Amino acid sequence: MTSYKELGFVNTREMFKKAMAGKYAVPAYNFNNMEQIQAIITACLESQSPVILQVSSGARKYADQTLLKYMGQGAIEMMRTHAKEKGLKEIPIALHLDHGDTFELCKSCVESGFSSVMIDGSHHPYDKNVELTKQVVAYAHQHDVTVEGELGILAGIEDDVVAEKSSYTNPEEVVDFVQKTGVDSLAISIGTSHGANKFKPEQCTQNEDGVYIPPPLRFDILEEIEKQIPGFTIVLHGSSSVPVEAVKIINDNGGALKDSVGIPEEQIRTAAQSAVCKVNIDSDGRLWMTAAVRKHFNDKPADFDPRKYLGPARVALIEMYKHKNESVLGSAGQA
Ligand code: G3H
Ligand code: 13P
Ligand code: ZN
């Protein structure tokens, strides 16, 4: 058993308390490799933002769970060294399991030093979701690890779970779910979804440049949830904006992304000022990384040193994370 406290992580309790009071959201960025974690730490330290490093079970399979644990530990040490060198304050960092689907997976993450876990029982019937979430909370809280649950089903793909039938969160169920399970935060479904195709073209209108404009998020449901359970921490998954600029660079350099559409940043900005204290972003990083790599290979087809093409990808990621912290989530300066 490795305690996250020994590694230097914090759980999300204090982070969310401050975010709720300050009307901003803490970024939750996924990582699978070294360049992503370097970019997240660099951007969040330089913009003085708290951050949640997210690991999905797909990431665990890809990068190896042991290596991931040491990457997380390395991120803390890198942050401390860079903070000293640059004369900056250290930032709080949580290590979080994204979309945990079993008790055993959550337990294994707690044991290996995660400070926060998500148990996503949203695809189960309500009572099974309650039972599973409660079991994870009981174990995690013994180790002062915070737990995120989910009610309502997002459209799109969550790891191996394909949510074909999305359903908005029912505000009537929220109080009961939170009371019965004891979760510290709740992911809700109000129209966001995972990936780069969040809406079908026929659900959108188009502006004069042909850019798809999606229907707005269901802020009425969010407001109703806030009324039901005032001051409780809400989480938004699937919050990438899928920038048309990144998609254009990808497609101009040999890519084939079709009908991509995300959540406009002004809507995430609005949500971040509400009870939404954690915003999950993964796809935007994937897109900017791919754009930089594709452009590099088009411009310099003879390059074969990974540092030559992953270096610019890392620079693009740093810019994007800083932009999210400073101009969308409001977390910059809140470390
Ligand atoms: O929720 C989905 C995240 O973007 C993680 O994606 O399961 O492909 O690692 P992944
Ligand atoms: P995006 O696919 O919109 O980046 O969402 C990521 C997410 O919710 C991770 O849990
Ligand atoms: Zn998610």
Side-chain angles (χ1 to χ4, degrees), residues 295-317:
K295 182 161 185 340
H296 186 89
F297 279 133
N298 227 5
D299 293 348
K300 298 188 176 163
D303 273 356
F304 64 95
D305 178 345
R307 293 171 296 187
K308 291 270 165 59
Y309 53 87
L310 293 177
R314 191 171 58 191
V315 170
L317 282 180

mmCIF file of all heavy atoms in Angstrom, residues 295-317:
data_model
loop_
_atom_site.group_PDB
_atom_site.id
_atom_site.type_symbol
_atom_site.label_atom_id
_atom_site.label_comp_id
_atom_site.label_asym_id
_atom_site.label_seq_id
_atom_site.Cartn_x
_atom_site.Cartn_y
_atom_site.Cartn_z
ATOM 1 N N LYS A 295 1.511 18.207 -38.980
ATOM 2 C CA LYS A 295 2.109 19.370 -39.645
ATOM 3 C C LYS A 295 3.625 19.180 -39.720
ATOM 4 O O LYS A 295 4.242 19.440 -40.757
ATOM 5 C CB LYS A 295 1.749 20.651 -38.879
ATOM 6 C CG LYS A 295 2.297 21.893 -39.539
ATOM 7 C CD LYS A 295 1.619 23.153 -39.110
ATOM 8 C CE LYS A 295 2.099 24.379 -39.860
ATOM 9 N NZ LYS A 295 3.398 24.300 -40.525
ATOM 10 N N HIS A 296 4.204 18.701 -38.655
ATOM 11 C CA HIS A 296 5.656 18.513 -38.641
ATOM 12 C C HIS A 296 6.084 17.541 -39.737
ATOM 13 O O HIS A 296 7.021 17.804 -40.486
ATOM 14 C CB HIS A 296 6.122 18.022 -37.273
ATOM 15 C CG HIS A 296 7.610 17.967 -37.191
ATOM 16 N ND1 HIS A 296 8.365 19.041 -36.789
ATOM 17 C CD2 HIS A 296 8.498 16.992 -37.551
ATOM 18 C CE1 HIS A 296 9.649 18.722 -36.879
ATOM 19 N NE2 HIS A 296 9.744 17.483 -37.329
ATOM 20 N N PHE A 297 5.373 16.417 -39.855
ATOM 21 C CA PHE A 297 5.759 15.434 -40.859
ATOM 22 C C PHE A 297 5.540 15.954 -42.283
ATOM 23 O O PHE A 297 6.292 15.619 -43.185
ATOM 24 C CB PHE A 297 5.001 14.121 -40.654
ATOM 25 C CG PHE A 297 5.609 13.268 -39.578
ATOM 26 C CD1 PHE A 297 4.827 12.683 -38.600
ATOM 27 C CD2 PHE A 297 6.972 13.050 -39.555
ATOM 28 C CE1 PHE A 297 5.402 11.899 -37.611
ATOM 29 C CE2 PHE A 297 7.556 12.270 -38.565
ATOM 30 C CZ PHE A 297 6.768 11.692 -37.591
ATOM 31 N N ASN A 298 4.516 16.788 -42.442
ATOM 32 C CA ASN A 298 4.285 17.348 -43.770
ATOM 33 C C ASN A 298 5.399 18.328 -44.135
ATOM 34 O O ASN A 298 5.888 18.333 -45.261
ATOM 35 C CB ASN A 298 2.933 18.080 -43.790
ATOM 36 C CG ASN A 298 2.136 17.705 -45.007
ATOM 37 O OD1 ASN A 298 2.545 16.847 -45.784
ATOM 38 N ND2 ASN A 298 0.997 18.357 -45.187
ATOM 39 N N ASP A 299 5.783 19.164 -43.133
ATOM 40 C CA ASP A 299 6.825 20.169 -43.385
ATOM 41 C C ASP A 299 8.210 19.540 -43.485
ATOM 42 O O ASP A 299 9.057 19.988 -44.250
ATOM 43 C CB ASP A 299 6.862 21.207 -42.241
ATOM 44 C CG ASP A 299 5.594 22.069 -42.201
ATOM 45 O OD1 ASP A 299 4.824 22.014 -43.185
ATOM 46 O OD2 ASP A 299 5.379 22.769 -41.192
ATOM 47 N N LYS A 300 8.457 18.531 -42.669
ATOM 48 C CA LYS A 300 9.815 17.949 -42.604
ATOM 49 C C LYS A 300 9.746 16.423 -42.704
ATOM 50 O O LYS A 300 9.979 15.703 -41.726
ATOM 51 C CB LYS A 300 10.487 18.357 -41.302
ATOM 52 C CG LYS A 300 10.643 19.870 -41.209
ATOM 53 C CD LYS A 300 11.468 20.285 -40.036
ATOM 54 C CE LYS A 300 11.633 21.798 -40.118
ATOM 55 N NZ LYS A 300 12.045 22.438 -38.924
ATOM 56 N N PRO A 301 9.432 15.926 -43.905
ATOM 57 C CA PRO A 301 9.203 14.477 -44.051
ATOM 58 C C PRO A 301 10.433 13.620 -43.773
ATOM 59 O O PRO A 301 10.300 12.410 -43.567
ATOM 60 C CB PRO A 301 8.728 14.339 -45.501
ATOM 61 C CG PRO A 301 9.085 15.606 -46.182
ATOM 62 C CD PRO A 301 9.194 16.673 -45.151
ATOM 63 N N ALA A 302 11.622 14.238 -43.731
ATOM 64 C CA ALA A 302 12.834 13.424 -43.515
ATOM 65 C C ALA A 302 13.116 13.198 -42.025
ATOM 66 O O ALA A 302 13.961 12.379 -41.675
ATOM 67 C CB ALA A 302 14.033 14.090 -44.178
ATOM 68 N N ASP A 303 12.405 13.921 -41.144
ATOM 69 C CA ASP A 303 12.669 13.762 -39.708
ATOM 70 C C ASP A 303 12.236 12.383 -39.213
ATOM 71 O O ASP A 303 11.172 11.885 -39.596
ATOM 72 C CB ASP A 303 11.895 14.828 -38.899
ATOM 73 C CG ASP A 303 12.692 16.122 -38.779
ATOM 74 O OD1 ASP A 303 13.853 16.153 -39.241
ATOM 75 O OD2 ASP A 303 12.154 17.100 -38.243
ATOM 76 N N PHE A 304 13.040 11.801 -38.349
ATOM 77 C CA PHE A 304 12.632 10.519 -37.749
ATOM 78 C C PHE A 304 12.974 10.423 -36.269
ATOM 79 O O PHE A 304 12.752 9.400 -35.631
ATOM 80 C CB PHE A 304 13.237 9.334 -38.527
ATOM 81 C CG PHE A 304 14.732 9.279 -38.467
ATOM 82 C CD1 PHE A 304 15.377 8.498 -37.522
ATOM 83 C CD2 PHE A 304 15.506 10.014 -39.364
ATOM 84 C CE1 PHE A 304 16.759 8.459 -37.456
ATOM 85 C CE2 PHE A 304 16.887 9.976 -39.312
ATOM 86 C CZ PHE A 304 17.528 9.204 -38.349
ATOM 87 N N ASP A 305 13.520 11.500 -35.702
ATOM 88 C CA ASP A 305 13.797 11.512 -34.260
ATOM 89 C C ASP A 305 12.514 11.925 -33.539
ATOM 90 O O ASP A 305 12.021 13.035 -33.749
ATOM 91 C CB ASP A 305 14.925 12.524 -34.006
ATOM 92 C CG ASP A 305 15.266 12.665 -32.521
ATOM 93 O OD1 ASP A 305 14.474 12.221 -31.665
ATOM 94 O OD2 ASP A 305 16.334 13.231 -32.232
ATOM 95 N N PRO A 306 11.954 11.050 -32.687
ATOM 96 C CA PRO A 306 10.671 11.386 -32.037
ATOM 97 C C PRO A 306 10.689 12.728 -31.310
ATOM 98 O O PRO A 306 9.666 13.390 -31.204
ATOM 99 C CB PRO A 306 10.461 10.237 -31.049
ATOM 100 C CG PRO A 306 11.257 9.116 -31.585
ATOM 101 C CD PRO A 306 12.421 9.708 -32.328
ATOM 102 N N ARG A 307 11.869 13.138 -30.818
ATOM 103 C CA ARG A 307 11.928 14.430 -30.113
ATOM 104 C C ARG A 307 11.610 15.578 -31.051
ATOM 105 O O ARG A 307 11.098 16.609 -30.635
ATOM 106 C CB ARG A 307 13.313 14.625 -29.484
ATOM 107 C CG ARG A 307 13.598 13.641 -28.365
ATOM 108 C CD ARG A 307 15.021 13.700 -27.905
ATOM 109 N NE ARG A 307 15.950 13.293 -28.970
ATOM 110 C CZ ARG A 307 17.254 13.120 -28.786
ATOM 111 N NH1 ARG A 307 17.793 13.319 -27.615
ATOM 112 N NH2 ARG A 307 18.031 12.742 -29.801
ATOM 113 N N LYS A 308 11.904 15.386 -32.353
ATOM 114 C CA LYS A 308 11.658 16.453 -33.330
ATOM 115 C C LYS A 308 10.166 16.694 -33.546
ATOM 116 O O LYS A 308 9.736 17.797 -33.819
ATOM 117 C CB LYS A 308 12.336 16.101 -34.662
ATOM 118 C CG LYS A 308 13.853 16.145 -34.621
ATOM 119 C CD LYS A 308 14.350 17.520 -34.988
ATOM 120 C CE LYS A 308 15.800 17.809 -34.657
ATOM 121 N NZ LYS A 308 16.761 16.924 -35.282
ATOM 122 N N TYR A 309 9.365 15.622 -33.490
ATOM 123 C CA TYR A 309 7.922 15.839 -33.706
ATOM 124 C C TYR A 309 7.106 15.848 -32.418
ATOM 125 O O TYR A 309 6.066 16.480 -32.344
ATOM 126 C CB TYR A 309 7.334 14.859 -34.742
ATOM 127 C CG TYR A 309 7.598 13.388 -34.502
ATOM 128 C CD1 TYR A 309 6.739 12.633 -33.701
ATOM 129 C CD2 TYR A 309 8.684 12.747 -35.086
ATOM 130 C CE1 TYR A 309 6.974 11.275 -33.499
ATOM 131 C CE2 TYR A 309 8.923 11.394 -34.872
ATOM 132 C CZ TYR A 309 8.069 10.670 -34.082
ATOM 133 O OH TYR A 309 8.306 9.327 -33.874
ATOM 134 N N LEU A 310 7.605 15.179 -31.383
ATOM 135 C CA LEU A 310 6.853 15.225 -30.111
ATOM 136 C C LEU A 310 7.144 16.509 -29.343
ATOM 137 O O LEU A 310 6.320 16.966 -28.557
ATOM 138 C CB LEU A 310 7.167 13.994 -29.257
ATOM 139 C CG LEU A 310 6.659 12.677 -29.849
ATOM 140 C CD1 LEU A 310 7.068 11.487 -28.978
ATOM 141 C CD2 LEU A 310 5.135 12.696 -30.004
ATOM 142 N N GLY A 311 8.302 17.115 -29.603
ATOM 143 C CA GLY A 311 8.635 18.411 -28.972
ATOM 144 C C GLY A 311 7.607 19.481 -29.343
ATOM 145 O O GLY A 311 6.981 20.088 -28.454
ATOM 146 N N PRO A 312 7.363 19.717 -30.656
ATOM 147 C CA PRO A 312 6.333 20.701 -31.028
ATOM 148 C C PRO A 312 4.934 20.321 -30.532
ATOM 149 O O PRO A 312 4.126 21.191 -30.199
ATOM 150 C CB PRO A 312 6.359 20.693 -32.568
ATOM 151 C CG PRO A 312 7.671 20.115 -32.932
ATOM 152 C CD PRO A 312 8.109 19.212 -31.822
ATOM 153 N N ALA A 313 4.666 19.022 -30.446
ATOM 154 C CA ALA A 313 3.351 18.585 -29.929
ATOM 155 C C ALA A 313 3.220 19.004 -28.469
ATOM 156 O O ALA A 313 2.167 19.468 -28.022
ATOM 157 C CB ALA A 313 3.209 17.071 -30.079
ATOM 158 N N ARG A 314 4.295 18.860 -27.718
ATOM 159 C CA ARG A 314 4.290 19.249 -26.301
ATOM 160 C C ARG A 314 4.102 20.768 -26.148
ATOM 161 O O ARG A 314 3.364 21.206 -25.275
ATOM 162 C CB ARG A 314 5.617 18.793 -25.678
ATOM 163 C CG ARG A 314 5.678 18.889 -24.191
ATOM 164 C CD ARG A 314 6.927 18.226 -23.669
ATOM 165 N NE ARG A 314 8.144 18.805 -24.241
ATOM 166 C CZ ARG A 314 9.365 18.268 -24.113
ATOM 167 N NH1 ARG A 314 9.523 17.157 -23.451
ATOM 168 N NH2 ARG A 314 10.415 18.844 -24.648
ATOM 169 N N VAL A 315 4.738 21.528 -27.031
ATOM 170 C CA VAL A 315 4.575 22.996 -26.990
ATOM 171 C C VAL A 315 3.101 23.363 -27.249
ATOM 172 O O VAL A 315 2.517 24.198 -26.553
ATOM 173 C CB VAL A 315 5.495 23.685 -28.035
ATOM 174 C CG1 VAL A 315 5.155 25.167 -28.167
ATOM 175 C CG2 VAL A 315 6.959 23.501 -27.651
ATOM 176 N N ALA A 316 2.489 22.698 -28.221
ATOM 177 C CA ALA A 316 1.073 22.971 -28.545
ATOM 178 C C ALA A 316 0.178 22.631 -27.348
ATOM 179 O O ALA A 316 -0.777 23.355 -27.036
ATOM 180 C CB ALA A 316 0.645 22.157 -29.767
ATOM 181 N N LEU A 317 0.507 21.546 -26.656
ATOM 182 C CA LEU A 317 -0.281 21.154 -25.473
ATOM 183 C C LEU A 317 -0.144 22.188 -24.360
ATOM 184 O O LEU A 317 -1.138 22.557 -23.726
ATOM 185 C CB LEU A 317 0.197 19.800 -24.941
ATOM 186 C CG LEU A 317 -0.261 18.548 -25.675
ATOM 187 C CD1 LEU A 317 0.311 17.312 -24.992
ATOM 188 C CD2 LEU A 317 -1.781 18.451 -25.710
#
